[in-house]
Amino acid sequence: MAERRKKTTRLTVSLDDADYAAVDAMASRCDVSLSWVIRQAIQRFVREHGAQPELPLTLAEQADGKEASG
């Protein structure tokens, strides 16, 4: 029997040019799609932060010195 695929939801995100270029370069180097890279990043984020009662809003600040924006 064929394995049933999980239901998925499509969403749209906006990235600044530098982030887009970085993600695009990662995808190209690994010969995968941009969507795959972004899904992996989201899955990792949920795995690492999903059990926390609040989002780590200072995450972006810690990562690159920029202020987090919503």
Side-chain angles (χ1 to χ4, degrees):
M1 258 194 267
E3 187 177 319
R4 293 186 79 178
R5 296 190 72 193
K6 292 181 183 179
K7 183 180 182 308
T8 61
T9 302
R10 183 173 301 273
L11 71 122
T12 302
V13 297
S14 297
L15 302 174
D16 66 29
D17 290 342
D19 288 342
Y20 179 85
V23 173
D24 188 48
M26 284 182 223
S28 293
R29 277 194 308 272
C30 297
D31 195 28
V32 296
S33 68
L34 275 160
S35 295
W36 187 91
V37 174
I38 292 168
R39 281 192 302 271
Q40 295 302 308
I42 291 170
Q43 288 171 0
R44 179 179 288 183
F45 183 88
V46 169
R47 195 171 50 247
E48 292 176 6
H49 302 287
Q52 295 178 6
E54 295 180 14
L55 284 176
L57 297 178
T58 58
L59 184 65
E61 229 175 70
Q62 294 168 358
D64 61 8
K66 292 180 185 173
E67 210 174 297
S69 60

